[in-house]
Amino acid sequence: MPDAKLVGTNYLPPDHIAKVTGRAKYAEDFRADGMLFTKLLLSPMPHARVLYIDKEGALALPGVKAILTADDLPDLNGAEKALTNEPLYVGEPILAIAAVDEASAAAAIEAIHVDLAPLPFVVDPLDSLRPGGPNARRGGNVWAAPQPPAPGAQGPPPPPATDLVKWTEADFADDEGDGTRLPMGRALEEWSFGDLEAGFTDADLVLDETFIVQSTGHHPMETRSAMAYWQNGKLYLHASTQSVAATVAGVARWVGITPADVVLICEFTGGGFGSKGAGAVSSAIPALLSKKANAPVMMRISREEESYIGRARTNMSGRARVGFTKDGKITALDLFLVQDSGAYGPMGDHRSCGNAASLIYQPGAMRWRAINVLTNTPPRSQQRSPGPMQADGIMEPIVTKAAKQLGLDQVAIRRINAPEGKAIYGPAGPNGMRPHVTSAFVKEALDRGVEVFGWEARKARSGQRRGPKVRGIGVAVGPHGAGSVGFDSIMTIRPDGKLYVQSGVGNLGTHSVFDLARPAADVLAMPWEKVEVIWGNTGKHLPNTCLSVGSQTTHAMTRANHAGAMDAKRKLQEIAALDLGGSPDDYELGNERVYRRGNPGRGLSYAQAAKRAIELGGRFDGHSVPEDVHQITKTSAAALVGLGLMGVAKDTFPRDGNTFSFVVGFAEVEVDVETGKVTLVDYLSVGDVGKVVNPRSLMAQLNGGSCLGIAHALCQKWVIDPQYGVTLARRFHYNKPLTILDIPNHLQATALDLPDPETPVGARGVGEPPVGAGYGAVLNAIADAIGVDAFRRAPVTADIVLMSLEHGRRMHEPLRTHL
Amino acid sequence: MDPVTRRNFIKTVIAAGATASSVGYLFRGPGALLGQTPSAPGAVERLITLNVNGQMRRVDVMKQETLAMTLRYKLGLTGTKLGCDRAECGACTVLIDDVPHYSCSVLTHTVRSRAVVTIEGLESPTGELHPVQRGVLDEQGFQCAFCMPGFIMSAVGFLKVNPNPTRQELAHGISGNLCRCQDYDKILTALMKGVEYTRGASNA
């Protein structure tokens, strides 16, 4: 491989000029002739059955073109549909109307008469587990544990099943009588490793604490608006999605057509944070209304509606019993989780939470138990660091408390427990072995942060009171899975001498959509000005691409494009050898030419080689492609045949371990003990995220992710009224997202830039691990300032701070989910 | 249709979210002039002239129409984004007589005879970027950039009253804008670069 020239350097992303001039088009910016507009009828009840819908009055109104109900949608085997006849939460769409304009559609919605039969509902997971408590669904109140496939089973796995679980009064009777500890009744999921009891016996200190991790709405700036029309039997959908190539399959399923009949256009997405991973189920509404009305249909989703259908973080109540030795080493961890999957799911945050806890604290023995409860609250989806972020919330206050009691430095106790190298985590797999990560340099990151943040100097002033202000410092390690394998790439060197890279990644502004082309250009020694990235439209023949979720894109797609570029390079060498003699290995690449080693005059320009590839045909110009690439890739490659020399390959590079990234967060806060206001004074994140691909974008990801965690510690929450099941934290105002005034004047971020040994480019993902680090570090800093027992829930709002300080112990509700 | 009173306006445009309907955005297209009689009490002239980005534009405007809707759906200026339609996020910020306003919360009829500038109007007639746009480009400010037009317009407006802000002052000046990628640190760096370029341009 030639020296990396593009990987590791900043560049101007090719879409940025469109963004600063306002020409970048997001889903709602598209127009089509005769375009109709949509309004939705949302459920006013948290759980009900639709008995009857009277559409006559609405249809009689001028301008009304079509009405869509759940009966018009394909059955999804029990999974969430875009419309429902049994709403499971307040705000769930029941019906949609397309009309010539929104005022007419809204008037028609008002003219609809719906008979709803109310059903029992529940908002708090613990209420559902109580004896005689209500169930979120008629079929049960919890998600059953997923069953491993039967030996020799064919076809798709069975749909997830609900179950009915009630705990006993004895389960709810707190052992200490103060009702502050999470009850632990029957759990449906469990794993363990090591000797837990021996671990506790060996411990010098055992702590048993409960923490409530809140839910928060994702609320990307762009709501999930979508516009659809049909042409020649194909659906053209302008939607807001995190992924592009990988969104097609879901859209096809939701609409009830084959993936080949979906063209998805999404060049720009106004944020997702996990809420638009594979698109949004609601996009089926304009698609099917458009078919019914035989006209293009725009569905603009309001911020209010986004509060209902826009997804939220999976909230979790966790109880951890942890054993520590005198020097802070964790000997045993007994973790119990009550997860709230909302109205749909099942969510898997509880599983990644358990894995993350085992990874970042490396306990000698561990048991993980969890129950996955359904409630009549809006649907959850993965939110930036689903699971590991909750692990930081539940575990960090305990580790900080242990450090205080044992007289240890906060960094030292994290360092002694930190994962290192190919660290193992989680339960044993079917092969009896516990999995391990590809690499971890957490200790290095902690050391770097101590130095850059000036930890020791800040420690000296922490706890000191100046007037009403007291300072505190905190540190936390945020982990997250950061890479998958096995995806494809397609690229062509064309007779104009340029490299065209097909990018199936979504464009969330992290620039991975373009970053993935840079290792390919490096392999081909191609200057960046000669690289065209083709993206944002599945009509443009994109390869099989990972979902842009789970911090996997940079890792997965740099590998795939490295593979494709290696294929193109080999073809360049082979063509040169065919035309100029010798063996392919005699040729190397440089100056946009393939030439004989030591004799740069003897060679072909890339433009000439591209023309020769087209003449030669076969695998050189894509007439035949490797057997192992995905069918999606084969179809796309077939459409690009004959355009030039084609590099097309599947990522088959070996990988030992599962890829994780780590970010260490360092925070200093100032708490005003008279007002309860917490101010973040300084924040540093240190990334152990592999080789740095795009430094400026990486810092933005580190800072942006940290801010989401900081917001969870300081202000952001989601509240559902338990009496009526109504979402109270609607829109931005009541969600309390972080503003530009809530962060320090400068956020600091740095990265180790140590390549991961298990991927050719060395890069791992970064989107998610900063979130848990930000959450944990700020919680720890607040605890350092006002006391390690001052709170056991987040966000730590002024009322929690003031009540704790006034009473000398925490006074907030210990177990209620929504406050 | 009922005469548009303040009460009815609020009832239909703002308060509908709490009921079974989802009336949030309300937009009546030019094709459906349902029940609007020009002589109705309180009626206003519908065909008006707006000064947008230095051009005089004739446009048919309903009396309850917001400036954001007029810009986006009547004048094709989709660079102005709607993030909330409730004056919470600032994505729709435009300049009206050089002052930043949330265009989602301004009735179009109130800006007759005033100068409206949107993100599309920042470039010079010869296509040169505004110094603030150049700053954002050079520092690669913003991630998803849905909030970017609003932030840039807020910054441009703020610089007209404080051409020499500190980083902290600028943060206050644009604090009416939300970014959910929370790329605030780089946004400030980029806009401060824009401040520098603006100063350079005015000194030149």
Side-chain angles (χ1 to χ4, degrees):
Chain A
M1 179 176 163
D3 291 341
K5 294 193 185 95
L6 300 176
V7 168
T9 57
N10 288 323
Y11 67 103
L12 179 67
D15 65 336
H16 222 64
I17 190 83
K19 287 178 173 176
V20 300
T21 54
R23 288 197 279 269
K25 278 187 185 270
Y26 300 74
E28 201 210 306
D29 299 335
F30 288 90
R31 308 281 178 264
D33 275 350
M35 188 169 87
L36 305 176
F37 287 84
T38 308
K39 292 310 295 180
L40 303 174
L41 189 146
L42 307 180
S43 173
M45 296 184 190
H47 191 188
R49 214 156 11 125
V50 174
L51 299 178
Y52 176 72
I53 300 176
D54 179 0
K55 307 173 197 163
E56 294 310 314
L59 281 169
L61 289 175
V64 174
K65 297 295 183 185
I67 296 182
L68 197 74
T69 68
D71 298 335
D72 298 310
L73 299 174
D75 179 48
L76 299 176
N77 214 357
E80 181 187 8
K81 292 164 59 162
L83 300 168
T84 184
N85 284 326
E86 183 177 334
L88 293 169
Y89 63 95
V90 170
E92 181 158 21
I94 293 173
L95 164 154
I97 293 180
V100 292
D101 55 40
E102 277 178 353
S104 303
I109 291 284
E110 296 299 333
I112 292 274
H113 180 74
V114 184
D115 263 355
L116 288 169
L119 290 166
F121 70 95
V122 66
V123 166
D124 197 302
L126 281 183
D127 289 342
S128 187
L129 293 169
R130 279 182 198 283
N135 303 324
R137 293 193 179 187
R138 286 183 286 165
N141 67 335
V142 298
W143 284 111
Q147 294 304 310
Q154 297 289 317
T162 56
D163 201 344
L164 190 66
V165 171
K166 299 292 169 192
W167 291 351
T168 64
E169 290 294 355
D171 293 330
F172 279 92
D174 184 80
D175 44 354
E176 290 185 355
D178 63 354
T180 62
R181 285 177 174 171
L182 185 67
M184 297 190 290
R186 184 158 75 95
L188 293 188
E189 294 176 69
E190 176 173 351
W191 53 252
S192 62
F193 60 80
D195 187 339
L196 198 67
E197 280 321 304
F200 284 120
T201 309
D202 292 345
D204 299 306
L205 171 71
V206 175
L207 297 176
D208 182 349
E209 305 277 341
T210 294
F211 194 91
I212 312 294
V213 178
Q214 81 268 41
S215 181
T216 58
H218 292 66
H219 280 297
M221 288 303 297
E222 183 195 16
T223 59
R224 52 208 59 231
S225 297
M227 195 269 278
Y229 57 90
W230 296 75
Q231 227 166 38
N232 298 325
K234 275 189 197 295
L235 167 67
Y236 288 77
L237 180 67
H238 294 270
S240 183
T241 174
Q242 290 175 223
S243 314
V244 173
T247 294
V248 167
V251 170
R253 197 168 65 248
W254 300 325
V255 176
I257 56 179
T258 65
D261 287 334
V262 177
V263 178
L264 178 96
I265 301 112
C266 178
E267 291 184 353
F268 294 90
T269 298
F273 318 114
S275 72
K276 302 171 183 166
V281 67
S282 52
S283 61
I285 295 171
L288 288 168
L289 272 175
S290 170
K291 195 168 206 177
K292 224 172 170 174
N294 196 22
V297 171
M298 167 73 79
M299 177 178 70
R300 304 195 316 140
I301 295 297
S302 70
R303 182 56 53 190
E304 181 95 9
E305 290 163 332
E306 188 76 6
S307 302
Y308 302 121
I309 67 172
R311 318 286 120 169
R313 181 177 293 279
T314 311
N315 48 300
M316 209 180 272
S317 304
R319 179 168 171 182
R321 191 163 161 249
V322 193
F324 299 86
T325 63
K326 276 200 295 287
D327 51 5
K329 186 89 191 91
I330 295 179
T331 55
L333 166 57
D334 193 4
L335 184 62
F336 191 100
L337 305 175
V338 176
Q339 167 162 296
D340 183 353
S341 260
Y344 288 96
M347 298 307 303
D349 293 37
H350 57 318
R351 283 190 284 275
S352 46
C353 175
N355 284 337
S358 73
L359 175 59
I360 39 173
Y361 305 107
Q362 295 285 302
M366 178 171 168
R367 176 170 64 162
W368 167 87
R369 290 174 293 166
I371 189 152
N372 195 358
V373 185
L374 284 148
T375 58
N376 298 100
T377 58
R380 308 301 196 273
S381 80
Q382 294 78 7
Q383 187 186 102
R384 206 165 176 176
S385 200
M389 176 272 192
Q390 289 95 322
D392 273 303
I394 293 162
M395 292 294 295
E396 281 301 320
I398 302 174
V399 177
T400 295
K401 181 174 178 174
K404 268 278 193 281
Q405 293 199 359
L406 295 166
L408 298 170
D409 173 69
Q410 281 197 51
V411 175
I413 195 169
R414 269 103 197 156
R415 200 174 189 287
I416 197 171
N417 291 300
E420 198 168 17
K422 293 200 177 296
I424 51 173
Y425 69 94
N431 62 358
M433 304 279 286
R434 293 181 59 205
H436 59 271
V437 300
T438 53
S439 65
F441 305 102
V442 176
K443 287 179 178 166
E444 289 85 341
L446 284 162
D447 294 346
R448 170 80 66 88
V450 165
E451 186 194 319
V452 176
F453 198 58
W455 176 259
E456 294 301 330
R458 290 178 198 267
K459 197 160 87 181
R461 69 175 185 234
S462 86
Q464 285 176 17
R465 188 87 185 253
R466 279 185 309 174
K469 307 280 178 68
V470 60
R471 294 243 170 157
I473 54 172
V475 59
V477 181
H480 203 91
S484 54
V485 298
F487 295 94
D488 300 338
S489 63
I490 307 177
M491 60 196 71
T492 47
I493 298 173
R494 299 192 189 171
D496 60 7
K498 287 184 175 179
L499 173 68
Y500 293 76
V501 180
Q502 312 295 119
S503 178
V505 171
N507 185 6
L508 290 156
T510 65
H511 306 121
S512 56
V513 62
F514 310 115
D515 285 351
L516 56 76
R518 291 172 70 81
D522 277 342
V523 167
L524 295 168
M526 185 68 102
W528 186 240
E529 313 77 68
K530 293 284 182 73
V531 178
E532 300 279 345
V533 178
I534 294 160
W535 94 97
N537 183 337
T538 60
K540 292 183 175 174
H541 318 301
L542 308 175
N544 181 41
T545 307
C546 69
L547 284 166
S548 292
V549 304
S551 304
Q552 67 184 312
T553 315
T554 294
H555 176 269
M557 300 319 291
T558 56
R559 286 168 71 100
N561 282 279
H562 187 80
M566 294 296 282
D567 181 55
K569 179 182 178 180
R570 187 70 191 169
K571 285 170 180 166
L572 284 169
Q573 291 170 313
E574 287 178 21
I575 288 174
L578 268 177
D579 284 11
L580 303 170
S583 85
D585 291 334
D586 297 336
Y587 288 85
E588 58 187 46
L589 310 183
N591 295 322
E592 299 163 56
R593 287 168 57 79
V594 51
Y595 59 87
R596 192 93 181 211
R597 185 168 296 110
N599 184 4
R602 191 162 176 79
L604 296 169
S605 71
Y606 284 174
Q608 289 169 324
K611 283 194 201 94
R612 285 291 290 135
I614 296 167
E615 286 163 20
L616 291 164
R619 62 196 180 82
F620 289 107
D621 72 344
H623 271 88
S624 68
V625 298
E627 264 310 302
D628 62 353
V629 300
H630 194 277
Q631 188 54 47
I632 290 173
T633 310
K634 287 178 181 169
T635 305
S636 292
L640 298 166
V641 157
L643 290 177
L645 184 147
M646 185 183 289
V648 49
K650 176 179 173 160
D651 156 26
T652 55
F653 297 111
R655 177 179 68 156
D656 173 34
N658 295 324
T659 311
F660 276 77
S661 276
F662 305 88
V663 169
V664 184
F666 292 83
E668 181 171 16
V669 300
E670 187 172 77
V671 182
D672 187 319
V673 298
E674 289 175 359
T675 65
K677 183 175 166 51
V678 180
T679 305
L680 183 65
V681 176
D682 253 323
Y683 190 86
L684 166 73
S685 42
V686 183
D688 165 20
V689 297
K691 166 91 188 139
V692 175
V693 175
N694 179 340
R696 201 157 38 189
S697 253
L698 175 71
M699 297 312 149
Q701 282 287 78
L702 287 171
N703 286 334
S706 301
C707 280
L708 185 60
I710 292 165
H712 276 78
L714 294 181
C715 51
Q716 210 186 332
K717 65 176 174 178
W718 204 50
V719 183
I720 316 280
D721 170 54
Q723 191 80 36
Y724 303 105
V726 175
T727 297
L728 301 175
R730 290 197 300 264
R731 312 201 320 257
F732 286 127
H733 180 67
Y734 297 105
N735 275 276
K736 298 275 176 281
L738 210 64
T739 79
I740 203 163
L741 298 180
D742 296 322
I743 59 161
N745 207 21
H746 282 281
L747 285 174
Q748 304 177 65
T750 182
L752 296 178
D753 202 13
L754 295 172
D756 186 277
E758 299 293 342
T759 178
V761 184
R764 308 199 218 105
V766 64
E768 287 162 297
V771 185
Y775 192 40
V778 174
L779 291 177
N780 288 335
I782 301 171
D784 188 48
I786 63 169
V788 291
D789 283 320
F791 57 90
R792 284 292 180 273
R793 64 183 308 135
V796 187
T797 47
D799 57 320
I800 290 180
V801 172
L802 285 182
M803 290 289 274
S804 269
L805 288 174
E806 193 175 327
H807 294 267
R809 62 188 176 92
R810 62 176 176 271
M811 299 295 291
H812 63 67
E813 283 259 9
L815 297 176
R816 245 176 73 185
T817 299
H818 297 287
L819 281 183
Chain B
M1 192 171 172
D2 294 328
V4 175
T5 61
R6 182 182 149 73
R7 181 184 160 79
N8 274 343
F9 176 80
I10 291 171
K11 207 167 91 185
T12 52
V13 180
I14 294 173
T19 71
S21 100
S22 63
V23 182
Y25 289 126
L26 264 184
F27 159 58
R28 194 178 288 284
L33 311 178
L34 306 169
Q36 278 278 315
T37 43
S39 59
V44 292
E45 186 191 357
R46 292 243 319 251
L47 200 59
I48 62 174
T49 302
L50 295 178
N51 175 354
V52 179
N53 297 335
Q55 292 179 321
M56 303 308 282
R57 306 279 302 262
R58 290 287 278 175
V59 56
D60 180 0
V61 177
M62 304 296 293
K63 50 194 166 185
Q64 70 272 41
E65 191 170 309
T66 65
L67 180 58
M69 294 308 297
T70 307
L71 293 171
R72 288 182 52 79
Y73 280 88
K74 304 276 179 71
L75 300 177
L77 296 170
T78 55
T80 298
K81 303 300 180 203
L82 278 170
C84 68
D85 214 13
R86 291 288 186 284
E88 292 180 337
C89 76
C92 64
T93 303
V94 301
L95 299 185
I96 300 172
D97 289 342
D98 283 347
V99 178
H101 279 81
Y102 294 157
S103 63
C104 73
S105 302
V106 172
L107 292 177
T108 307
H109 274 278
T110 67
V111 303
R112 281 189 288 186
S113 76
R114 302 172 74 184
V116 177
V117 178
T118 71
I119 187 78
E120 290 93 342
L122 279 188
E123 285 170 80
S124 74
T126 53
E128 281 164 50
L129 294 180
H130 186 280
V132 173
Q133 287 174 307
R134 274 198 288 131
V136 171
L137 202 62
D138 286 358
E139 291 293 333
Q140 213 176 300
F142 301 89
Q143 291 198 307
C144 85
F146 196 83
C147 68
M148 187 203 276
F151 265 101
I152 290 181
M153 298 315 292
S154 288
V156 170
F158 180 68
L159 291 183
K160 290 183 190 292
V161 292
N162 183 352
N164 237 330
T166 63
R167 195 174 159 100
Q168 196 99 47
E169 287 167 346
L170 182 66
H172 276 271
I174 57 175
S175 61
N177 292 68
L178 283 180
C179 164
R180 290 292 294 135
C181 302
Q182 295 165 116
D183 193 21
Y184 290 129
D185 190 77
K186 187 149 59 65
I187 289 173
L188 270 177
T189 303
L191 294 177
M192 281 305 284
K193 180 66 81 174
V195 172
E196 193 185 304
Y197 289 164
T198 306
R199 224 169 18 226
S202 56
N203 290 343

